[in-house]
Amino acid sequence: MIWDKEKECMAIDDMKELQLDRLQYIVKYAYEKVPYYHEKYTEMEIYPEDIETLEDINKLPFTTKTEMRAAYPFGLFAVPQKEIIELHTSSGTTGKPTVSGYTKEDLDLWSEVMARGLTMANVDENDIIQNTHGYGLFTGGFGVHYGGQKIGASVIPISTGQTLRQIEIMKDFKTSVLIFTPSYGLHIAEELERLGITSEDLNLKSIGFGSEAWTDEMRNELEKSFKVPAYNIYGLTEVMGPGIAMECGVQNGLHIFEDHFYPEIINPKTLDVLPEGETGELVLTTLTRVGMPLIRFRTRDVTSIHHEICDCGRTLMKMSKITGRTDDMLKIRGVSVFPSQIEKVLLNIEGVKPHYQIIITRPGIFDEIEIKVEASPEIFFDNVKQLVNMKNKIAKSIHDEIGLRVNVTLVEPMTIKRVESGKAVRVIDKRESKDKK
Protein backbone atom coordinates (compact mmCIF):
# COMPACT_ATOMS: atom_id res chain seq x y z
CA MET A 1 0.00 0.00 0.00
CA ILE A 2 1.45 3.38 -1.07
CA TRP A 3 -0.03 6.74 -0.06
CA ASP A 4 1.27 8.91 -2.93
CA LYS A 5 2.47 6.66 -5.74
CA GLU A 6 3.41 9.53 -8.05
CA LYS A 7 5.93 11.02 -5.64
CA GLU A 8 7.04 7.91 -3.77
CA CYS A 9 7.75 5.95 -6.95
CA MET A 10 9.09 8.82 -9.07
CA ALA A 11 12.04 8.16 -11.36
CA ILE A 12 15.28 9.37 -9.77
CA ASP A 13 16.05 11.88 -12.55
CA ASP A 14 12.54 13.32 -12.29
CA MET A 15 12.94 13.62 -8.52
CA LYS A 16 16.22 15.50 -8.96
CA GLU A 17 14.55 17.90 -11.36
CA LEU A 18 11.75 18.51 -8.87
CA GLN A 19 14.26 18.99 -6.05
CA LEU A 20 16.22 21.55 -8.06
CA ASP A 21 13.09 23.58 -8.81
CA ARG A 22 12.10 23.53 -5.17
CA LEU A 23 15.64 24.24 -3.92
CA GLN A 24 15.95 27.30 -6.15
CA TYR A 25 12.59 28.53 -4.92
CA ILE A 26 13.25 27.95 -1.22
CA VAL A 27 16.69 29.61 -1.30
CA LYS A 28 15.19 32.70 -2.95
CA TYR A 29 12.26 32.62 -0.53
CA ALA A 30 14.52 32.34 2.54
CA TYR A 31 16.84 35.06 1.20
CA GLU A 32 13.92 37.46 0.74
CA LYS A 33 11.86 36.57 3.80
CA VAL A 34 14.26 35.58 6.61
CA PRO A 35 16.67 38.31 7.80
CA TYR A 36 19.15 35.72 9.08
CA TYR A 37 19.57 34.13 5.65
CA HIS A 38 19.56 37.47 3.85
CA GLU A 39 22.36 38.82 6.04
CA LYS A 40 24.36 35.59 6.01
CA TYR A 41 24.23 35.12 2.24
CA THR A 42 24.88 38.78 1.51
CA GLU A 43 27.89 38.74 3.81
CA MET A 44 29.24 35.68 1.97
CA GLU A 45 28.33 37.17 -1.44
CA ILE A 46 26.04 34.24 -2.23
CA TYR A 47 22.77 34.96 -4.04
CA PRO A 48 19.77 32.82 -5.06
CA GLU A 49 20.71 32.97 -8.74
CA ASP A 50 23.98 31.17 -7.89
CA ILE A 51 22.00 27.94 -7.37
CA GLU A 52 21.96 26.49 -10.89
CA THR A 53 22.36 22.78 -10.04
CA LEU A 54 21.69 20.59 -7.00
CA GLU A 55 25.44 20.45 -6.37
CA ASP A 56 25.43 24.24 -5.94
CA ILE A 57 23.86 23.73 -2.54
CA ASN A 58 27.49 23.27 -1.42
CA LYS A 59 27.93 27.02 -1.84
CA LEU A 60 25.47 27.68 0.99
CA PRO A 61 26.51 27.73 4.66
CA PHE A 62 25.11 25.32 7.22
CA THR A 63 22.46 26.21 9.78
CA THR A 64 23.12 24.93 13.31
CA LYS A 65 21.24 24.66 16.58
CA THR A 66 23.46 27.38 18.00
CA GLU A 67 22.26 29.80 15.32
CA MET A 68 18.66 28.76 15.90
CA ARG A 69 19.03 29.46 19.62
CA ALA A 70 20.56 32.83 18.81
CA ALA A 71 17.41 33.63 16.80
CA TYR A 72 15.15 32.67 19.73
CA PRO A 73 12.21 32.86 19.72
CA PHE A 74 10.90 33.93 16.29
CA GLY A 75 13.97 35.19 14.41
CA LEU A 76 13.89 32.47 11.73
CA PHE A 77 10.25 32.87 10.75
CA ALA A 78 9.61 33.77 7.10
CA VAL A 79 6.06 35.00 7.69
CA PRO A 80 4.41 37.42 10.12
CA GLN A 81 3.83 35.89 13.54
CA LYS A 82 0.04 36.00 13.05
CA GLU A 83 0.40 33.42 10.23
CA ILE A 84 2.11 30.96 12.57
CA ILE A 85 -0.71 28.85 14.00
CA GLU A 86 1.32 26.30 15.97
CA LEU A 87 4.57 26.44 17.94
CA HIS A 88 6.83 23.67 19.21
CA THR A 89 10.25 23.65 20.85
CA SER A 90 13.08 21.21 21.44
CA SER A 91 13.76 19.97 24.96
CA GLY A 92 16.13 22.87 25.63
CA THR A 93 18.35 20.88 28.02
CA THR A 94 21.24 23.28 27.40
CA GLY A 95 20.38 26.96 27.17
CA LYS A 96 17.38 28.21 25.24
CA PRO A 97 15.37 25.67 23.24
CA THR A 98 15.05 25.80 19.48
CA VAL A 99 11.66 26.97 18.27
CA SER A 100 9.69 25.53 15.36
CA GLY A 101 6.78 27.49 13.87
CA TYR A 102 4.10 26.16 11.50
CA THR A 103 1.66 27.83 9.14
CA LYS A 104 -1.53 26.11 8.01
CA GLU A 105 0.32 24.98 4.87
CA ASP A 106 3.08 23.51 7.03
CA LEU A 107 0.61 21.51 9.12
CA ASP A 108 -0.94 20.19 5.90
CA LEU A 109 2.54 19.13 4.76
CA TRP A 110 3.29 17.52 8.12
CA SER A 111 0.03 15.58 7.96
CA GLU A 112 0.81 14.46 4.41
CA VAL A 113 4.32 13.10 5.05
CA MET A 114 3.25 11.43 8.27
CA ALA A 115 0.33 9.80 6.44
CA ARG A 116 2.86 8.42 3.95
CA GLY A 117 4.94 7.02 6.80
CA LEU A 118 2.06 5.42 8.66
CA THR A 119 0.85 3.87 5.41
CA MET A 120 4.26 2.16 5.21
CA ALA A 121 3.40 0.55 8.56
CA ASN A 122 0.23 -0.82 6.98
CA VAL A 123 -2.05 1.73 8.68
CA ASP A 124 -5.40 2.52 7.05
CA GLU A 125 -8.74 4.12 7.90
CA ASN A 126 -9.88 1.04 9.81
CA ASP A 127 -7.11 1.26 12.40
CA ILE A 128 -7.12 2.50 15.97
CA ILE A 129 -3.79 4.19 16.76
CA GLN A 130 -2.73 4.46 20.40
CA ASN A 131 -0.25 7.33 20.44
CA THR A 132 1.93 7.31 23.56
CA HIS A 133 4.20 10.11 22.32
CA GLY A 134 3.99 13.32 24.33
CA TYR A 135 1.56 16.04 23.30
CA GLY A 136 3.23 19.07 24.85
CA LEU A 137 5.87 21.13 23.07
CA PHE A 138 7.36 17.83 21.86
CA THR A 139 6.47 17.29 18.19
CA GLY A 140 6.17 13.48 18.39
CA GLY A 141 2.58 13.29 19.56
CA PHE A 142 1.22 15.83 17.11
CA GLY A 143 2.98 14.43 14.05
CA VAL A 144 1.53 10.96 14.54
CA HIS A 145 -1.85 12.50 15.41
CA TYR A 146 -2.04 14.58 12.24
CA GLY A 147 -0.88 11.73 10.02
CA GLY A 148 -3.35 9.28 11.52
CA GLN A 149 -6.22 11.70 11.06
CA LYS A 150 -5.14 12.39 7.47
CA ILE A 151 -5.44 8.67 6.73
CA GLY A 152 -8.80 8.52 8.47
CA ALA A 153 -7.73 6.24 11.32
CA SER A 154 -9.02 6.69 14.88
CA VAL A 155 -6.32 8.24 17.07
CA ILE A 156 -6.17 7.82 20.86
CA PRO A 157 -4.13 10.82 22.15
CA ILE A 158 -3.16 9.09 25.37
CA SER A 159 0.42 10.46 25.58
CA THR A 160 3.10 8.85 27.74
CA GLY A 161 2.74 7.45 31.24
CA GLN A 162 0.01 5.71 33.27
CA THR A 163 1.15 2.38 31.90
CA LEU A 164 -1.61 0.30 33.49
CA ARG A 165 -4.16 2.67 31.94
CA GLN A 166 -2.35 2.28 28.61
CA ILE A 167 -2.76 -1.48 28.80
CA GLU A 168 -6.42 -1.21 29.79
CA ILE A 169 -7.08 1.05 26.80
CA MET A 170 -5.19 -1.30 24.48
CA LYS A 171 -7.45 -4.15 25.52
CA ASP A 172 -10.77 -2.30 25.73
CA PHE A 173 -10.40 -0.17 22.59
CA LYS A 174 -8.76 -2.98 20.61
CA THR A 175 -5.79 -0.82 19.64
CA SER A 176 -4.31 -2.03 16.36
CA VAL A 177 -1.29 0.31 16.06
CA LEU A 178 0.88 1.30 19.02
CA ILE A 179 3.33 4.24 18.87
CA PHE A 180 6.06 4.67 21.47
CA THR A 181 9.73 5.37 22.17
CA PRO A 182 11.74 2.10 22.27
CA SER A 183 12.46 2.39 25.99
CA TYR A 184 8.81 3.01 26.85
CA GLY A 185 7.75 0.16 24.58
CA LEU A 186 10.01 -2.18 26.56
CA HIS A 187 8.42 -0.93 29.77
CA ILE A 188 4.91 -1.64 28.44
CA ALA A 189 6.04 -5.13 27.37
CA GLU A 190 7.46 -5.72 30.84
CA GLU A 191 4.15 -4.75 32.46
CA LEU A 192 2.19 -6.95 30.06
CA GLU A 193 4.37 -9.90 31.04
CA ARG A 194 3.94 -9.14 34.74
CA LEU A 195 0.16 -9.05 34.32
CA GLY A 196 0.12 -12.27 32.33
CA ILE A 197 -1.28 -10.55 29.23
CA THR A 198 -0.12 -12.08 25.94
CA SER A 199 -0.24 -10.86 22.35
CA GLU A 200 -3.28 -13.08 21.82
CA ASP A 201 -5.17 -10.91 24.32
CA LEU A 202 -4.48 -7.80 22.21
CA ASN A 203 -5.45 -6.62 18.73
CA LEU A 204 -2.11 -5.17 17.61
CA LYS A 205 -0.95 -5.48 14.00
CA SER A 206 2.02 -3.06 13.97
CA ILE A 207 4.21 -0.78 16.06
CA GLY A 208 5.77 2.59 15.23
CA PHE A 209 8.75 3.72 17.28
CA GLY A 210 11.14 6.66 17.25
CA SER A 211 12.67 9.59 19.17
CA GLU A 212 15.56 7.48 20.55
CA ALA A 213 18.58 5.75 19.09
CA TRP A 214 18.01 2.00 18.73
CA THR A 215 19.72 -1.17 17.64
CA ASP A 216 18.52 -4.16 15.64
CA GLU A 217 18.62 -6.10 18.90
CA MET A 218 16.23 -3.56 20.47
CA ARG A 219 13.81 -3.93 17.55
CA ASN A 220 14.03 -7.72 17.80
CA GLU A 221 13.18 -7.48 21.50
CA LEU A 222 10.12 -5.33 20.76
CA GLU A 223 8.90 -7.59 17.97
CA LYS A 224 9.42 -10.67 20.12
CA SER A 225 7.44 -9.10 22.97
CA PHE A 226 4.50 -7.80 20.93
CA LYS A 227 4.67 -10.37 18.09
CA VAL A 228 4.05 -7.73 15.40
CA PRO A 229 6.43 -5.82 13.07
CA ALA A 230 7.98 -2.62 14.45
CA TYR A 231 8.66 0.29 12.09
CA ASN A 232 11.13 3.07 12.73
CA ILE A 233 9.94 6.70 12.37
CA TYR A 234 12.48 9.52 11.93
CA GLY A 235 12.09 13.22 12.46
CA LEU A 236 13.34 16.17 14.48
CA THR A 237 11.63 19.25 15.84
CA GLU A 238 13.72 21.81 13.99
CA VAL A 239 13.01 20.46 10.50
CA MET A 240 9.37 19.38 10.93
CA GLY A 241 8.89 16.64 13.49
CA PRO A 242 8.29 12.93 12.86
CA GLY A 243 7.55 12.15 9.22
CA ILE A 244 10.83 13.07 7.53
CA ALA A 245 11.53 9.38 6.89
CA MET A 246 10.07 6.00 7.79
CA GLU A 247 10.56 2.30 7.22
CA CYS A 248 8.41 0.30 4.84
CA GLY A 249 7.50 -3.39 5.19
CA VAL A 250 10.97 -4.42 3.97
CA GLN A 251 12.46 -2.90 7.16
CA ASN A 252 15.81 -2.27 5.54
CA GLY A 253 16.38 1.46 5.86
CA LEU A 254 14.04 4.45 6.10
CA HIS A 255 12.59 6.11 3.01
CA ILE A 256 13.25 9.87 3.08
CA PHE A 257 10.44 12.00 1.68
CA GLU A 258 12.99 13.76 -0.47
CA ASP A 259 10.47 15.77 -2.48
CA HIS A 260 10.09 17.83 0.74
CA PHE A 261 13.42 17.29 2.54
CA TYR A 262 16.71 17.35 0.64
CA PRO A 263 19.31 15.11 2.37
CA GLU A 264 23.11 15.31 2.39
CA ILE A 265 25.78 13.44 4.38
CA ILE A 266 28.83 15.37 5.53
CA ASN A 267 32.05 14.60 7.34
CA PRO A 268 31.36 16.37 10.68
CA LYS A 269 35.01 17.35 11.05
CA THR A 270 35.89 18.59 7.54
CA LEU A 271 32.28 19.49 6.57
CA ASP A 272 32.89 17.93 3.15
CA VAL A 273 29.89 16.30 1.47
CA LEU A 274 30.30 12.52 1.34
CA PRO A 275 29.20 10.26 -1.52
CA GLU A 276 26.19 7.95 -1.27
CA GLY A 277 26.77 4.99 1.00
CA GLU A 278 29.35 6.62 3.27
CA THR A 279 28.52 7.22 6.93
CA GLY A 280 28.53 10.74 8.35
CA GLU A 281 26.27 13.48 9.68
CA LEU A 282 22.85 14.00 8.12
CA VAL A 283 22.11 17.48 6.80
CA LEU A 284 18.57 18.43 5.76
CA THR A 285 17.08 21.27 3.73
CA THR A 286 13.34 21.91 3.81
CA LEU A 287 12.15 22.33 0.21
CA THR A 288 8.51 23.26 0.81
CA ARG A 289 8.16 24.59 4.35
CA VAL A 290 6.53 28.02 4.47
CA GLY A 291 6.69 29.31 8.03
CA MET A 292 10.30 28.49 8.85
CA PRO A 293 12.47 27.24 5.98
CA LEU A 294 15.77 25.70 7.04
CA ILE A 295 18.72 25.53 4.65
CA ARG A 296 21.36 22.85 5.25
CA PHE A 297 20.46 22.16 8.86
CA ARG A 298 23.04 20.03 10.66
CA THR A 299 21.01 17.36 12.45
CA ARG A 300 24.02 15.82 14.30
CA ASP A 301 22.52 12.40 13.52
CA VAL A 302 24.95 9.79 12.19
CA THR A 303 23.71 7.73 9.22
CA SER A 304 24.23 7.04 5.52
CA ILE A 305 21.98 7.50 2.47
CA HIS A 306 21.63 5.69 -0.84
CA HIS A 307 19.28 5.20 -3.78
CA GLU A 308 17.78 1.85 -4.64
CA ILE A 309 14.50 0.54 -6.00
CA CYS A 310 13.02 -1.03 -2.90
CA ASP A 311 11.07 -4.27 -2.94
CA CYS A 312 8.09 -2.22 -1.76
CA GLY A 313 8.13 -0.36 -5.10
CA ARG A 314 9.29 3.01 -3.77
CA THR A 315 12.24 4.80 -5.36
CA LEU A 316 12.70 7.32 -2.54
CA MET A 317 16.23 7.60 -1.19
CA LYS A 318 16.89 5.47 1.89
CA MET A 319 18.78 6.30 5.04
CA SER A 320 20.17 3.70 7.41
CA LYS A 321 19.03 3.75 11.01
CA ILE A 322 20.64 6.41 13.19
CA THR A 323 23.66 4.86 14.91
CA GLY A 324 24.31 7.80 17.19
CA ARG A 325 24.76 11.54 17.29
CA THR A 326 27.92 13.51 16.80
CA ASP A 327 27.06 15.33 20.03
CA ASP A 328 26.34 12.17 22.11
CA MET A 329 29.48 10.36 21.04
CA LEU A 330 31.54 9.67 24.14
CA LYS A 331 35.27 10.29 24.12
CA ILE A 332 36.75 7.88 26.66
CA ARG A 333 40.51 7.48 27.04
CA GLY A 334 40.86 8.80 23.50
CA VAL A 335 38.40 6.27 22.06
CA SER A 336 35.12 7.31 20.39
CA VAL A 337 32.20 5.30 21.77
CA PHE A 338 28.50 5.42 20.94
CA PRO A 339 26.04 4.15 23.59
CA SER A 340 24.36 2.08 20.85
CA GLN A 341 27.51 -0.08 20.62
CA ILE A 342 27.14 -1.10 24.25
CA GLU A 343 23.38 -1.66 23.87
CA LYS A 344 24.02 -3.95 20.92
CA VAL A 345 26.31 -6.13 23.04
CA LEU A 346 23.94 -6.29 26.01
CA LEU A 347 20.92 -7.26 23.95
CA ASN A 348 22.86 -10.14 22.41
CA ILE A 349 23.58 -11.74 25.79
CA GLU A 350 21.02 -14.13 27.18
CA GLY A 351 20.26 -13.63 30.84
CA VAL A 352 20.29 -9.82 31.01
CA LYS A 353 17.32 -7.51 30.60
CA PRO A 354 17.28 -4.58 28.11
CA HIS A 355 17.60 -2.01 30.90
CA TYR A 356 21.01 -0.52 31.57
CA GLN A 357 23.00 2.61 32.36
CA ILE A 358 26.49 3.71 31.33
CA ILE A 359 28.21 5.61 34.13
CA ILE A 360 31.45 7.44 33.34
CA THR A 361 33.69 8.80 36.07
CA ARG A 362 37.21 10.13 36.41
CA PRO A 363 38.39 9.16 39.91
CA GLY A 364 42.01 9.94 39.05
CA ILE A 365 43.58 10.93 35.76
CA PHE A 366 41.88 8.18 33.74
CA ASP A 367 38.25 7.69 32.78
CA GLU A 368 36.39 4.73 34.22
CA ILE A 369 33.26 3.12 32.74
CA GLU A 370 30.69 1.23 34.77
CA ILE A 371 27.95 -0.66 32.95
CA LYS A 372 25.01 -1.21 35.25
CA VAL A 373 22.63 -3.80 33.81
CA GLU A 374 19.68 -5.76 35.13
CA ALA A 375 20.07 -9.52 35.28
CA SER A 376 17.07 -11.73 34.67
CA PRO A 377 15.52 -13.18 37.85
CA GLU A 378 16.84 -16.64 36.98
CA ILE A 379 20.43 -15.35 36.86
CA PHE A 380 20.34 -12.79 39.69
CA PHE A 381 18.90 -15.13 42.27
CA ASP A 382 21.09 -18.06 41.24
CA ASN A 383 24.54 -18.87 42.60
CA VAL A 384 27.37 -16.37 42.90
CA LYS A 385 29.59 -18.25 40.44
CA GLN A 386 27.03 -17.84 37.68
CA LEU A 387 26.78 -14.10 38.37
CA VAL A 388 30.57 -13.74 38.18
CA ASN A 389 30.69 -15.67 34.90
CA MET A 390 27.95 -13.45 33.48
CA LYS A 391 29.81 -10.27 34.51
CA ASN A 392 33.02 -11.53 32.90
CA LYS A 393 31.18 -12.47 29.71
CA ILE A 394 29.59 -9.01 29.42
CA ALA A 395 32.88 -7.22 30.14
CA LYS A 396 34.74 -9.26 27.53
CA SER A 397 32.02 -8.76 24.89
CA ILE A 398 32.01 -4.99 25.44
CA HIS A 399 35.81 -4.89 25.30
CA ASP A 400 35.73 -6.75 21.99
CA GLU A 401 33.20 -4.23 20.64
CA ILE A 402 34.68 -0.89 21.78
CA GLY A 403 38.27 -1.77 22.70
CA LEU A 404 37.97 -0.53 26.28
CA ARG A 405 37.82 -2.36 29.60
CA VAL A 406 34.69 -1.70 31.63
CA ASN A 407 33.39 -2.53 35.08
CA VAL A 408 30.11 -4.45 34.97
CA THR A 409 27.56 -4.33 37.79
CA LEU A 410 24.66 -6.76 37.66
CA VAL A 411 21.65 -5.42 39.53
CA GLU A 412 18.35 -6.91 40.60
CA PRO A 413 15.44 -6.81 38.12
CA MET A 414 13.34 -3.60 38.19
CA THR A 415 16.01 -1.55 40.01
CA ILE A 416 16.98 0.71 37.10
CA LYS A 417 14.43 3.50 36.90
CA ARG A 418 11.88 3.23 34.09
CA VAL A 419 11.08 6.42 32.20
CA GLU A 420 7.41 6.85 31.28
CA SER A 421 7.79 10.31 29.78
CA GLY A 422 10.63 11.59 27.63
CA LYS A 423 13.68 9.61 26.64
CA ALA A 424 15.45 7.01 28.74
CA VAL A 425 18.58 8.21 30.55
CA ARG A 426 21.20 5.74 29.35
CA VAL A 427 24.38 7.73 30.02
CA ILE A 428 25.44 9.40 33.26
CA ASP A 429 28.67 11.29 32.66
CA LYS A 430 30.04 12.38 36.03
CA ARG A 431 33.23 13.78 34.50
CA GLU A 432 31.42 17.03 33.66
CA SER A 433 30.56 17.86 37.27
CA LYS A 434 34.15 17.10 38.35
CA ASP A 435 35.60 19.25 35.57
CA LYS A 436 33.48 22.21 36.68
CA LYS A 437 34.83 22.14 40.23
Side-chain angles (χ1 to χ4, degrees):
M1 188 165 55
I2 296 177
W3 179 258
D4 183 349
K5 192 166 186 178
E6 179 188 352
K7 294 295 193 298
E8 296 179 62
C9 302
M10 182 179 285
I12 294 174
D13 287 344
D14 292 341
M15 178 62 75
K16 288 183 177 180
E17 185 177 338
L18 176 64
Q19 288 175 324
L20 178 58
D21 287 343
R22 290 182 169 180
L23 177 63
Q24 290 172 326
Y25 172 82
I26 206 68
V27 170
K28 185 173 187 294
Y29 177 76
Y31 178 80
E32 293 175 350
K33 301 292 185 180
V34 183
Y36 164 77
Y37 285 115
H38 185 90
E39 293 168 11
K40 188 84 169 177
Y41 293 175
T42 301
E43 179 186 328
M44 298 179 66
E45 297 185 351
I46 299 169
Y47 303 99
E49 53 269 25
D50 294 332
I51 307 302
E52 297 178 342
T53 68
L54 281 175
E55 289 70 29
D56 286 335
I57 195 171
N58 295 339
K59 299 176 181 178
L60 303 173
F62 297 104
T63 305
T64 66
K65 275 194 175 185
T66 300
E67 289 157 332
M68 291 189 73
R69 290 191 178 106
Y72 179 89
F74 305 146
L76 285 176
F77 290 176
V79 298
Q81 189 272 325
K82 64 180 181 179
E83 294 181 30
I84 298 291
I85 63 171
E86 188 163 312
L87 292 161
H88 290 276
T89 73
S90 65
S91 58
T93 52
T94 55
K96 292 287 187 182
T98 56
V99 177
S100 198
Y102 304 78
T103 64
K104 183 182 182 306
E105 295 91 338
D106 294 331
L107 293 186
D108 289 342
L109 164 61
W110 197 5
S111 303
E112 171 70 21
V113 293
M114 203 54 226
R116 290 186 189 178
L118 290 173
T119 300
M120 291 184 186
N122 202 27
V123 178
D124 61 31
E125 68 274 10
N126 299 307
D127 281 305
I128 297 176
I129 303 172
Q130 186 161 331
N131 185 16
T132 78
H133 280 333
Y135 271 79
L137 291 171
F138 177 55
T139 55
F142 285 90
V144 171
H145 192 100
Y146 294 146
Q149 288 188 331
K150 179 83 171 176
I151 288 173
S154 302
V155 183
I156 307 170
I158 195 167
S159 198
T160 306
Q162 297 184 308
T163 305
L164 294 181
R165 178 67 170 153
Q166 298 271 5
I167 292 171
E168 181 181 41
I169 291 289
M170 286 168 65
K171 291 183 66 179
D172 293 348
F173 289 20
K174 297 191 182 305
T175 299
S176 58
V177 180
L178 186 60
I179 307 291
F180 48 53
T181 61
S183 56
Y184 188 51
L186 289 172
H187 181 52
I188 293 174
E190 199 170 48
E191 286 298 295
L192 287 169
E193 183 179 5
R194 185 179 68 82
L195 295 169
I197 299 171
T198 68
S199 58
E200 287 73 24
D201 300 317
L202 304 174
N203 194 49
L204 288 180
K205 75 174 190 183
S206 65
I207 288 167
F209 67 96
S211 299
E212 292 177 338
W214 59 279
T215 58
D216 289 330
E217 291 74 18
M218 176 75 80
R219 190 225 293 277
N220 293 341
E221 189 75 22
L222 291 170
E223 293 187 334
K224 185 174 72 173
S225 297
F226 291 96
K227 294 183 168 53
V228 296
Y231 301 94
N232 189 211
I233 305 169
Y234 176 75
L236 61 164
T237 298
E238 293 82 3
V239 175
M240 177 63 71
I244 292 168
M246 189 158 171
E247 284 183 314
C248 64
V250 178
Q251 293 180 302
N252 182 28
L254 296 86
H255 291 283
I256 303 173
F257 301 122
E258 53 176 327
D259 51 324
H260 296 292
F261 311 103
Y262 183 75
E264 303 172 84
I265 297 293
I266 65 168
N267 180 318
K269 293 181 179 179
T270 66
L271 305 185
D272 292 333
V273 177
L274 300 175
E276 283 191 23
E278 291 199 21
T279 298
E281 180 184 339
L282 178 66
V283 173
L284 292 169
T285 295
T286 62
L287 297 176
T288 54
R289 191 170 176 182
V290 176
M292 199 183 81
L294 281 182
I295 313 294
R296 304 195 85 193
F297 178 70
R298 292 187 61 181
T299 68
R300 300 291 182 180
D301 290 324
V302 178
T303 184
S304 62
I305 57 177
H306 65 280
H307 273 111
E308 68 175 35
I309 298 176
C310 184
D311 288 344
C312 74
R314 293 174 179 86
T315 56
L316 293 168
M317 177 174 275
K318 279 187 174 182
M319 59 182 271
S320 60
K321 70 175 183 290
I322 304 300
T323 56
R325 290 178 54 82
T326 57
D327 52 3
D328 76 2
M329 181 180 71
L330 305 169
K331 201 75 170 180
I332 303 170
R333 298 180 222 152
V335 177
S336 299
V337 178
F338 286 106
S340 59
Q341 293 175 279
I342 293 173
E343 177 180 292
K344 175 184 174 183
V345 170
L346 294 176
L347 289 176
N348 270 320
I349 295 178
E350 189 174 349
V352 298
K353 305 293 282 183
H355 301 286
Y356 66 93
Q357 285 185 328
I358 304 166
I359 303 167
I360 309 166
T361 58
R362 188 179 292 148
I365 60 174
F366 297 112
D367 297 334
E368 298 286 344
I369 313 173
E370 178 189 7
I371 309 298
K372 187 180 291 186
V373 60
E374 290 183 10
S376 65
E378 298 78 20
I379 297 292
F380 190 81
F381 297 110
D382 208 331
N383 61 63
V384 174
K385 183 178 179 180
Q386 190 168 1
L387 280 176
V388 171
N389 289 340
M390 176 63 71
K391 286 175 59 174
N392 292 339
K393 180 179 179 180
I394 294 171
K396 181 180 184 306
S397 298
I398 292 175
H399 179 266
D400 290 344
E401 176 70 24
I402 66 174
L404 293 173
R405 299 194 181 282
V406 301
N407 301 312
V408 176
T409 303
L410 291 176
V411 299
E412 189 175 342
M414 301 301 296
T415 53
I416 292 178
K417 184 179 178 182
R418 306 302 192 256
V419 176
E420 293 199 355
S421 60
K423 301 178 182 181
V425 179
R426 298 296 194 198
V427 179
I428 300 173
D429 192 341
K430 296 183 177 180
R431 295 174 301 179
E432 296 178 5
S433 57
K434 181 178 180 179
D435 290 343
K436 290 177 182 178
K437 290 181 180 179

